[in-house]
Amino acid sequence: MFELYLDTADAKHVARFNACLPIKGVTTNPSIIAKSGIGLNQLLVELDSILGKKACFHVQVTSVTVDEMVAEARKIDELPYNMVVKIPATEIGLAAIKQIKTENITVLATAIYSAQQGFLAALCGADYLAPYVNRIDAIGADGVGVVADLQCLLNQHHLNSKLLPASFKNVQQVMDVLKLGVAAITLPYDIAVQLFAHPSVQPAVDQFSLDWQTAFGNKRSFES
Ligand code: G3P
C-alpha cells in the first residue's frame, strides 16, 4: 500500500490534508522542527490528535557520533507513538543504522544524494530511503534519475528498503518519481496544494451547479 506523508511541522497543514487524503504520517527534519517554534514533544501531541494512533512520525536524530545516534534512536523509538528514526546516510550514520537494525527499530536513511549512497544504506538494513530530489537537481545532477537508479538497484538485489523520496519544488518532480513506482513519498505543504490546482476544475464544477440550478432550482438530484 502506497504511503503518503507530509513533510511539515505545521499541525494546521496536516489537518487540512488529513481531511481529504489518506495521510500515512508526517516526516520532519531538524530544520523543519527548528523553524516551527515548538519542540518535538508538543508537535507529536498535536499531530497525534489529528492523525490518530495509526500514523507514523519520522523524526531525525540530532546526535553526531555512532554511539549517541544509537542511544538517541532508542529514545525516539520509545516515544508512545509509531516512530521511524531518521539517520543521515553518512559513514557514521550507516554505522549507526547497522547497529540500530539489530534491534526492532524502524529506520529511514536520509540526506541521500546518490544512488550508491542509498544502496549502501539499504545494505545496512534501512527500512526507508529518502533521496532528496530537488536538492539533487539544485546541484546540477538529476534527482529523478537518482531515484530511478536506486529503485533499479533495490529491485535487482532484492532489497526490501522502501523508497520515500523527499525534497520537492514542483509537481513534475513528484509525478516523475511516482511513475517510477516508489513505495512512498513525502510532500511539502505548498506542493501538496499544487497537486489539486488546475485552472479548469472549479469552472467545470461551477458550470454543473449553474446548469442544475437553472433547471431544478434548489432541488437535489434525488428530488428531481
Ligand atoms: O527531510 C528532507 C526534506 O525535508 C528536504 O526538503 O525542501 O529542504 O529540500 P527541502
Side-chain angles (χ1 to χ4, degrees):
M1 177 76 175
F2 184 79
E3 298 178 22
L4 176 62
Y5 292 89
L6 293 171
D7 201 24
T8 180
D10 188 320
K12 288 196 197 82
H13 292 171
V14 174
R16 173 178 173 181
F17 284 109
N18 186 53
C20 61
L21 293 173
I23 301 296
K24 171 76 175 173
V26 166
T27 59
T28 63
N29 63 38
S31 304
I32 288 173
I33 296 182
K35 279 184 208 142
S36 77
I38 60 170
L40 176 63
N41 290 297
Q42 187 188 335
L43 175 65
L44 289 173
V45 168
E46 291 180 15
L47 295 178
D48 177 65
S49 74
I50 296 165
L51 294 175
K53 286 292 168 210
K54 282 188 185 163
C56 282
F57 300 118
H58 293 233
V59 172
Q60 189 165 330
V61 297
T62 54
S63 303
V64 293
T65 68
V66 175
D67 289 347
E68 286 169 347
M69 281 184 186
V70 173
E72 188 175 349
R74 288 186 187 123
K75 290 289 186 191
I76 292 172
D77 182 62
E78 283 168 9
L79 291 169
Y81 308 97
N82 192 5
M83 302 302 296
V84 177
V85 180
K86 292 178 68 173
I87 311 271
T90 59
E91 182 177 348
I92 287 172
L94 293 186
I97 291 171
K98 255 189 89 175
Q99 285 194 38
I100 292 163
K101 285 313 297 175
T102 64
E103 305 175 28
N104 191 24
I105 295 175
T106 308
V107 171
L108 177 145
T110 193
I112 291 174
Y113 283 76
S114 70
Q116 58 271 29
Q117 184 197 4
F119 178 67
L120 297 179
L123 290 182
C124 289
D127 301 277
Y128 294 90
L129 307 173
Y132 282 4
V133 176
N134 187 69
R135 293 196 194 192
I136 296 169
D137 286 352
I139 55 176
D142 176 7
V144 174
V146 166
V147 178
D149 286 348
L150 198 39
Q151 182 74 74
C152 175
L153 289 171
L154 295 178
N155 294 344
Q156 292 280 357
H157 295 274
H158 307 290
L159 294 164
N160 291 326
S161 307
K162 293 179 182 175
L163 272 175
L164 193 163
S167 178
F168 295 98
K169 286 292 168 286
N170 62 65
V171 170
Q172 193 59 50
Q173 292 166 329
V174 173
M175 293 306 296
D176 287 344
V177 299
L178 289 178
K179 283 188 278 186
L180 295 171
V182 296
I185 199 168
T186 187
L187 301 174
Y189 175 75
D190 56 330
I191 299 300
V193 170
Q194 286 178 40
L195 291 183
F196 287 98
H198 191 291
S200 300
V201 175
Q202 197 57 49
V205 174
D206 292 345
Q207 187 63 51
F208 291 140
S209 296
L210 185 63
D211 291 345
W212 181 264
Q213 280 165 14
T214 303
F216 298 110
N218 289 330
K219 283 183 178 170
R220 294 294 169 221
S221 56
F222 58 89
E223 297 167 326
S224 65

